[in-house]
Amino acid sequence: MAKQAKPTLPSGLDRGDLTYAFTSSPTTAHLASELTSRDGIRPIAYKWADQSHEVQDLITKVWKLEELSSDDLDKLPYEEYSRYLFDPRRRFDKPEALDGIRVLEVCRPDWSVFGLQFCGSLLAEHGAEVIKIEDPAKGDAMRWAGPPPDQGGAMKAEGENWPPHGTSLAGFCENRNKYSVTLDITSPQGREMFKDLARNVDVVIENYDPGFLDSLGIGYRQLSKINPKLIYAASNGPGQWGRDDLPRASYDILAQAMGGSVYITGHPDGEQLKVPIWVADYFGGATATLGILISLLFREKSGEGQMVENSQLEAITRFLGPGITWYGKTGNIQERYGNRHLWVCPDGIVKASDGYVAIGADDNACVSLWQCIGSKADGLADKYPTNVDRVSESAQDEIYGVIEEWAAGKTVAEIESLAKRHGFGACPVKNSEDACSQIHYEERGEIQQINDPWYGSLKTQGPVPLYSGTPGYIEVAGKPIGWDTEDVLRRFCGFTSERIKELEELHVIGKVAGAENLRDWW
């Protein structure tokens, strides 16, 4: 029987289905033949023509989202087995890992730690019911932070009146799948309503100055008495306690500076540089999420809640690598090293004839890199056989001198092609446009096109990591401020329409900043 043609798009797939391309690493594809010689190891990349008719048929079923048996899965090349497990088109057919977990996210209205919103977004992406409490007068500070509105940096739903320019794009990154409730927690009525909500949740996360919620009578020591199983995560700059010479409030830039990342960023003879993303906020949000998940696991075993005290400053310091240990052992301070790496070589950015390219190689890949460069790299393999030999300043100067001279005479595409052929690592330095146009990201769901019922179509990053059984998802990108206030107050506080109207007039809660026709449509 003749083998069927390899499926190519559309190949019977609907227009809305994602395209596919091989996802094997260019640095490991050349090892496929070696791997197949070992018992039980399938190739990382496979050739369609080498597959039997039966396997080709199974691969086609994978692409068409047809169900396969366990025996069928065992016959697939590893890449297609992984595609079957993680295909983002299947995500809404699978359970949510955090389904049944309810989270109360209360964010300060002024500028501060955005890691809170990232933490809440991570939980919501994986099925938690996240109720976001925003200040009625201002809203979440992330609605105001982001690209300039006159350059398309904000989106406005029909009838939305606050913020006046619409919600910033930063807000859409970290308001995914959340309920939006406005509540003045500083008012007596607001504090009692907050307690009512806290009785009915598993987790509270907040980013106020240390002790502020406690001073209102709605901090951990008060809420834990009315909800002993509560997990309470406080996420701010340097922590809830410690020396008075550190600022209690924090911003991403302060955490970057205090945490040590700014000092080591930049060229040796140039200025110290900040990382131009909210890296401290995102690191802090990730560690807060880790703390919450660990606490949920502990509660499952013990029945006890606890407080998670999360510092974005300490998150930055934790991710600095061996710099702290090096100083503690030797007194050496890690300094700026530009586009090279102080402890790994080669591991840097070099200039090609038409742009910049990242190049990296381990000991074995270095041999391939030297062979690719040719005579100008003669002797480097013998002189610097291991990374330990290559990381001294003099060694790096010599090695990068050779690499940079070679790269300057080639295009980025030529270097990338040579890397795939010879087995060292190289890729272009890409921007956000490149990421959005990369098929690899699209088919894996890393970049997703969301059709939000309030704000329309937008691209955004998908949830990571991927899970075979309980994938994350994005149902909505965001909602107008206060959209769910009435629903939440009815569900958890038992309020009537008359009581809700009264609270609006007292400014304890805010009016919904969206159009009534949208509310009816949803």
Side-chain angles (χ1 to χ4, degrees), residues 107-335:
C107 50
R108 56 189 295 166
D110 53 348
W111 242 246
S112 188
V113 180
F114 287 161
L116 166 91
Q117 291 89 327
F118 180 52
C119 171
S121 188
L122 291 175
L123 298 172
E125 287 170 11
H126 293 90
E129 182 183 27
V130 178
I131 301 170
K132 182 184 186 72
I133 303 297
E134 301 185 58
D135 180 77
K138 181 75 173 179
D140 175 11
M142 285 201 85
R143 292 186 184 271
W144 302 79
D150 61 0
Q151 297 179 29
M155 294 199 303
K156 195 169 186 177
E158 182 181 350
E160 184 177 8
N161 52 58
W162 197 256
H165 51 68
T167 294
S168 165
L169 296 185
F172 292 103
C173 289
E174 311 312 341
N175 280 331
R176 301 170 173 183
N177 302 349
K178 297 178 184 178
Y179 297 89
S180 175
V181 173
T182 54
L183 181 63
D184 179 8
I185 61 172
T186 66
S187 67
Q189 301 99 320
R191 292 197 293 271
E192 291 306 310
M193 293 159 63
F194 188 83
K195 289 179 182 178
D196 286 339
L197 293 173
R199 287 187 179 95
N200 293 282
V201 302
D202 301 279
V203 180
V204 167
I205 52 177
E206 55 102 339
N207 65 350
Y208 282 84
D209 285 353
F212 178 75
L213 294 190
D214 185 88
S215 71
L216 297 177
I218 53 174
Y220 174 69
R221 58 178 164 180
Q222 295 93 5
L223 297 182
S224 62
K225 290 181 173 63
I226 64 175
N227 185 353
K229 293 186 176 182
L230 180 70
I231 294 162
Y232 183 106
S235 184
N236 73 344
Q240 302 294 301
W241 58 280
R243 293 287 299 275
D244 291 335
D245 57 355
L246 292 178
R248 293 292 94 190
S250 183
Y251 303 89
D252 174 85
I253 184 58
L254 299 186
Q256 285 196 41
M258 291 188 292
S261 63
V262 171
Y263 186 85
I264 62 175
T265 305
H267 290 281
D269 56 352
E271 298 178 350
Q272 295 174 350
L273 300 174
K274 60 166 288 188
V275 179
I277 58 173
W278 295 320
V279 63
D281 286 333
Y282 283 111
F283 280 174
T287 54
T289 305
L290 175 63
I292 290 168
L293 296 179
I294 289 174
S295 298
L296 285 170
L297 178 61
F298 176 72
R299 190 182 71 175
E300 184 73 16
K301 296 189 293 186
S302 68
E304 300 175 8
Q306 64 175 311
M307 181 174 179
V308 178
E309 202 257 45
N310 184 66
S311 160
Q312 65 172 168
L313 161 63
E314 292 167 0
I316 279 284
T317 305
R318 174 63 180 85
F319 287 114
L320 286 181
I324 298 296
T325 305
W326 193 37
Y327 171 77
K329 179 70 174 177
T330 67
N332 290 313
I333 298 174
Q334 182 181 354
E335 301 288 347

Side-chain angles (χ1 to χ4, degrees), residues 42 58 68-76 81 84-85:
R42 300 289 182 88
L58 292 175
L68 299 181
S69 68
S70 177
D71 289 341
D72 289 338
L73 292 177
D74 287 340
K75 298 173 184 176
L76 288 172
Y81 170 73
Y84 182 87
L85 293 184

